[in-house]
Amino acid sequence: MSGHGTPIPMSSHKCGPLKGEAHVPGDKSISHRSLLFGAMAVGETVVTGLLEGEDVLDTAKAMRAFGAEVTRDEDGTWHVHGVGVGGFAEPGNVVDCGNSGTGVRLIMGAMATTPITVTFTGDASLNGRPMARVTDPIALFGAQSYGRSGGRLPMTIVGAADPVPVRYEVPMPSAQVKSAVLLAGLNAPGETVVIEKEATRDHTERMLAGFGADIRTEVTDEGRVITLKGRPELTPQTIVVPRDPSSAAFPVCAAIITPGSDVLVPNIGLNPTRAGLFYALQSMGADLTFENPREEGGEPVADLRARFSPDLKGAEIDPEGAASMIDEYPVLSVVAAFAEGDTVMRGVKELRVKESDRIDAMAKGLRLNGVEVDEGEDWWIVKGRGHGNVPGGATCESHLDHRIAMSFMVMGMAASAPVSVDDGSPIATSFPIFEDLMGGLGADLRRD
Ligand code: S3P
C-alpha cells in the first residue's frame, strides 16, 4: 500500500523526442469490478489483462477476506471463485483498502445488504476522504455505519439483515456512489433505482448486465435512470480488461508537449464516459489521432497516436464533459501550461475530494514551476506560457496522489529545468510500470 513505505523522491529531466509504443496497464475501474463482481457470482470468473497495481491488489485481498477464492497464474491470468450475491463472509480483521476510493466505496456498497459487520481503513489519503456519500444511501437500505468525524475512515459498517430496495438520486457526479448503491441493491428484494443527472462512467451497468443481472438504463428528463432487479444469481464471466485511458493519458500528453515525439498507445478503451481528455486535447490543437478504431468486448477501442504539437492553444473545457475526464485534469493542466493562452476548467468541484485536492495540489506545483494559475471552489484557469517557455526547476508535493506525481513527471520532460516530486511511490497504485514505460520511450526520470 502506498504511503505506508519510504517516500521515493523523483525528478524528470528535459528529454529528447519520445518514440515508440506505450503498452499501458489494464483499466483500473474495470479491474476492481472484475474481482468484486466475480466474487459475487457463483462459480469461476477468469480475468486477463488485470491491472496489478496496489489499489486492485488491495481489492483482491479484500475479496479473499470476504470468502472468495482469488488466485493468479504465473502468466498473469486471475481466477475468482465467487460466493454468490449475499454470500459474503464476515472478514476476520479490518479491511485495508490502501489508497483506493473505488475499492472501499464499491465494497462498502456490496456488503451493505448482507448481515455482517466490517471495519474499513486505508492510508492517510483515503482516511481523509468523504464516505458519507456512500453511508447516506446505504442507510436507506438499512445498513448502519460508525466512522470518524466528517464521515471518514476508519469506519465500521453493519450490513442490513432485512434490506429494502431504494430509489436514490446521486447528489454529485460520482460513478463510485452510483456503483455502491447498485451493488447494495443486488442483495435487496425488488427493484433498486439510481438516478444520475450527469452521465458518469458506466462500467458497473455494462458489467453487471454481462454477469446476467437484470439492469436497464433509461435517459429521461431527470437524467439517467438505472433500474436493477435485486437478488439475481450472477453468472461467472471470462473478462479481458481493456487498457486504461486514464493511464494512456500520461504518454499521450508527454508526447504532445515534448519536441519531436511520435508515440503509439495501442488498444485503448474509448468508452464515451471515459474519453473526454482526448477530445479536449484535440480542441487545443494537439496532433492526436485514433487509429484502427474497432469494438472489443462491447467497448470502442482504438490505437492512439500522439505527436509533438508545437501550436497548442488554451481552450474552454466543456464542463458537461467533466465526468468523462475527471481523472485527467491534472495532466491536462500540464499540457495547458505549454499552450498559448488560458485553459479554463469549470464544473470540477469533485477534483477537491480525490486522492488529494487536485486543484490545490496542481496549482501549487505549477506556480512553483513558473506557471500562473487562478482558482475557485469549482474552477481553475491555467495561464499557458507556450512551448519552450515553461521554466520548471521546483519540487512539488504529490500528496499521496499517483496522478499528481505522474503529471509533474510529464511536465519535467519538456520544461526548461527539471521538475521533481517529494514522493513518487503512489504511482504504484495505478501504473506500476510508469518509470520503465516512459524511460523506454526516451524520458529521463530519476530516483533522487
Ligand atoms: C471511479 C470513479 C471516479 C474516478 C475514480 C474511479 C470508478 O471517482 O475518479 O478514479 O471506478 O468508479 P468518483 O466516483 O469519485 O467520481
Side-chain angles (χ1 to χ4, degrees):
M1 281 154 287
S2 70
H4 295 198
T6 319
I8 304 177
M10 283 174 64
S11 58
S12 173
H13 299 246
K14 191 170 184 152
C15 60
L18 300 170
K19 299 263 185 191
E21 290 195 9
H23 296 275
V24 302
D27 190 282
K28 183 153 71 73
S29 294
I30 295 176
S31 294
H32 282 294
R33 287 163 174 79
S34 300
L35 298 175
L36 180 52
F37 301 174
M40 297 176 88
V42 177
E44 184 187 336
T45 288
V46 180
V47 190
T48 52
L50 190 88
L51 164 63
E52 295 181 343
E54 289 170 355
D55 276 12
V56 176
L57 298 179
D58 284 332
T59 290
K61 247 188 260 162
M63 290 303 98
R64 290 188 193 112
F66 280 95
E69 192 185 311
V70 184
T71 56
R72 179 190 188 276
D73 294 342
E74 256 174 43
D75 69 356
T77 304
W78 286 73
H79 303 264
V80 185
H81 288 267
V83 293
V85 168
F88 279 152
E90 187 169 272
N93 209 333
V94 171
V95 173
D96 188 338
C97 290
N99 191 250
S100 182
T102 305
V104 79
R105 290 185 176 131
L106 268 58
I107 297 170
M108 279 180 174
M111 58 74 47
T113 44
T114 302
I116 54 176
T117 298
V118 185
T119 301
F120 294 94
T121 192
D123 69 4
S125 155
L126 190 59
N127 287 359
R129 296 179 69 184
M131 295 298 149
R133 52 179 59 201
V134 172
T135 54
D136 286 351
I138 64 176
L140 304 174
F141 288 94
Q144 293 166 291
S145 56
Y146 306 91
R148 285 195 304 139
S149 60
R152 288 171 303 149
L153 301 180
M155 177 175 281
T156 297
I157 308 234
V158 182
D162 212 356
V164 290
V166 310
R167 181 182 175 86
Y168 189 71
E169 188 171 322
V170 183
M172 70 289 291
S174 168
Q176 292 174 0
V177 176
K178 167 178 68 177
S179 303
V181 181
L182 289 170
L183 294 175
L186 275 180
N187 198 34
E191 285 189 342
T192 286
V193 179
V194 183
I195 301 151
E196 60 175 4
K197 283 184 229 108
E198 294 165 49
T200 63
R201 68 192 64 195
D202 60 359
H203 305 302
T204 295
E205 296 94 300
R206 286 177 187 245
M207 290 177 71
L208 281 182
F211 273 88
D214 184 345
I215 181 168
R216 60 180 193 278
T217 302
E218 285 163 276
V219 181
T220 71
D221 290 346
E222 278 183 292
R224 282 158 47 89
V225 180
I226 307 152
T227 306
L228 170 79
K229 209 163 172 196
R231 306 238 161 111
E233 179 166 312
L234 299 182
T235 332
Q237 297 297 298
T238 299
I239 299 171
V240 182
V241 180
R243 292 173 195 267
D244 198 327
S246 298
S247 295
F250 295 100
V252 162
C253 289
I256 286 168
I257 62 170
T258 306
S261 299
D262 183 349
V263 170
L264 187 72
V265 192
N267 289 319
I268 299 305
L270 291 175
N271 178 315
T273 62
R274 294 290 299 282
L277 170 77
F278 305 120
Y279 305 110
L281 290 170
Q282 285 177 329
S283 78
M284 296 170 76
D287 185 350
L288 172 63
T289 50
F290 303 110
E291 297 186 352
N292 193 14
R294 56 202 182 271
E295 279 240 337
E296 272 172 26
E299 296 266 357
V301 168
D303 306 329
L304 305 183
R305 181 173 289 280
R307 297 187 179 90
F308 173 56
S309 310
D311 299 316
L312 291 170
K313 300 269 180 294
E316 286 258 357
I317 308 300
D318 180 9
E320 304 235 313
S324 71
M325 51 186 287
I326 196 67
D327 290 335
E328 284 67 74
Y329 281 94
V331 73
L332 175 66
S333 72
V334 167
V335 174
F338 290 84
E340 293 283 352
D342 293 358
T343 293
V344 182
M345 297 168 278
R346 297 191 193 281
V348 289
K349 198 160 99 196
E350 280 295 301
L351 290 180
R352 297 213 177 264
V353 289
K354 294 293 176 186
E355 286 84 331
S356 67
D357 175 340
R358 286 183 169 160
I359 297 179
D360 183 64
M362 287 309 300
K364 283 197 175 117
L366 286 167
R367 287 182 192 125
L368 283 172
N369 283 288
V371 179
E372 266 185 68
V373 181
D374 286 342
E375 62 176 293
E377 185 50 28
D378 71 341
W379 59 269
W380 49 323
I381 298 173
V382 175
K383 306 201 166 278
R385 296 182 58 97
H387 172 65
N389 291 318
V390 175
T395 302
C396 314
E397 286 181 59
S398 61
H399 297 278
L400 289 181
D401 188 331
H402 51 135
R403 301 200 200 284
I404 300 300
M406 289 188 279
S407 297
F408 285 120
M409 291 297 93
V410 168
M411 185 179 192
M413 295 173 202
S416 305
V419 175
S420 306
V421 289
D422 61 338
D423 183 12
S425 69
I427 293 172
T429 61
S430 71
F431 202 157
I433 59 168
F434 178 77
E435 285 167 273
D436 283 348
L437 182 143
M438 294 308 305
L441 298 174
D444 181 2
L445 302 182
R446 303 180 195 170
R447 289 192 178 205
D448 298 325

